[in-house]
Amino acid sequence: SQQGEEDPQALSIQEGENATMNCSYKTSINNLQWYRQNSGRGLVHLILIRSNEREKHSGRLRVTLDTSKKSSSLLITASRAADTASYFCATEGDFGNEKLTFGTGTRLTIIP
Amino acid sequence: DAMVIQNPRYQVTQFGKPVTLSCSQTLNHNVMYWYQQKSSQAPKLLFHYYDKDFNNEADTPDNFQSRRPNTSFCFLDIRSPGLGDAAMYLCATSRWGGETQYFGPGTRLLVL
């Protein structure tokens, strides 16, 4: 399976703290994406980082990519209760087959 | 606002009774995807259309079929639902394959 692994599976932190989630994948990629999913809802795209990029920022989000280690991390700074959700990484393989492979997800809980 | 719409949001069917889930998009995207997501798991790709070209995943059961009559609409047909098919079904679109995907809110299917 090409499915990525996310670590940790679940994370609980106090509001205001930073949250870091990690994603590892198995094959060479064109890009890696992070999505958020609130309970019972669809996924929402957060950020896309291409294989030739090492770091990307969007608001309170910071994503890093290390293609040599086949890993990525998502950092959420100054967490808020509204950040409580599941977070998935997804990769597009460099064989260009039009689809994403999703990781197993990290369930993040922010404690007010 | 441009969006991905799924109807119905909740669907109850009986064991073995055919059911159709629908998805529409106003984004004019080329690619449409259907995912199955079970509780606390990653979305699992069932199939996708690149324009009119249908792409089935190797492990998608024959019980699942799809139709895309035009750019805007895509349907998921489950010919004989089993108890194991109870899940959230997510539709997503992307302008090009492998790029950012835009998800609908999902249809939660319950099989009695």
Side-chain angles (χ1 to χ4, degrees):
Chain A
S1 168
Q2 299 173 26
Q3 187 176 57
E5 295 287 331
E6 293 189 56
D7 170 53
Q9 288 188 338
L11 177 64
S12 292
I13 61 173
Q14 294 290 134
E15 192 169 20
E17 293 181 340
N18 296 341
T20 300
M21 290 159 271
N22 302 295
C23 168
S24 60
Y25 56 91
K26 297 179 181 178
T27 63
S28 297
I29 61 170
N30 279 335
N31 69 65
L32 184 144
Q33 305 176 33
W34 285 90
Y35 289 81
R36 184 186 75 224
Q37 184 178 33
N38 290 87
S39 181
R41 310 289 293 182
L43 281 74
V44 174
H45 179 261
L46 295 175
I47 201 162
L48 182 154
I49 186 165
R50 301 197 183 277
S51 60
N52 61 352
E53 298 175 308
R54 291 297 168 258
E55 188 171 311
K56 209 161 183 181
H57 297 256
S58 177
R60 293 183 296 113
L61 306 180
R62 173 177 169 254
V63 168
T64 62
L65 178 64
D66 187 334
T67 53
S68 67
K69 295 181 179 178
K70 290 187 170 59
S71 67
S72 174
S73 67
L74 170 66
L75 169 67
I76 304 174
T77 60
S79 63
R80 305 168 182 169
D83 295 329
T84 294
S86 292
Y87 291 81
F88 294 92
C89 67
T91 55
E92 184 209 6
D94 65 359
F95 34 86
N97 66 351
E98 304 165 356
K99 60 186 183 181
L100 299 179
T101 301
F102 282 85
T104 51
T106 292
R107 186 170 186 85
L108 175 65
T109 301
I110 307 300
I111 304 166
Chain B
D1 288 340
M3 59 194 334
V4 181
I5 302 162
Q6 289 189 246
N7 286 307
R9 293 293 312 280
Y10 300 91
Q11 177 74 57
V12 181
T13 191
Q14 292 178 332
F15 183 94
K17 185 175 181 180
V19 65
T20 295
L21 309 181
S22 72
C23 176
S24 64
Q25 55 132 340
T26 61
L27 297 160
N28 203 32
H29 282 172
N30 295 296
V31 194
M32 295 188 77
Y33 306 83
W34 278 106
Y35 292 89
Q36 179 193 66
Q37 187 180 30
K38 296 190 175 179
S39 182
S40 301
Q41 295 183 19
K44 179 181 181 297
L45 182 64
L46 296 174
F47 24 60
H48 74 279
Y49 277 92
Y50 195 110
D51 195 11
K52 296 180 181 178
D53 293 332
F54 177 70
N55 299 271
N56 197 32
E57 292 301 295
D59 58 354
T60 298
D62 292 340
N63 197 27
F64 291 85
Q65 303 286 320
S66 185
R67 297 169 283 137
R68 189 180 185 185
N70 54 51
T71 300
S72 301
F73 286 88
C74 196
F75 300 98
L76 170 60
D77 301 308
I78 309 176
R79 293 191 296 186
S80 181
L83 298 178
D85 296 328
M88 174 76 89
Y89 290 88
L90 296 165
C91 173
T93 72
S94 67
R95 186 176 179 188
W96 308 111
E99 294 293 321
T100 298
Q101 292 190 10
Y102 296 83
F103 283 79
T107 294
R108 184 167 294 282
L109 178 68
L110 181 61
V111 181
L112 300 178

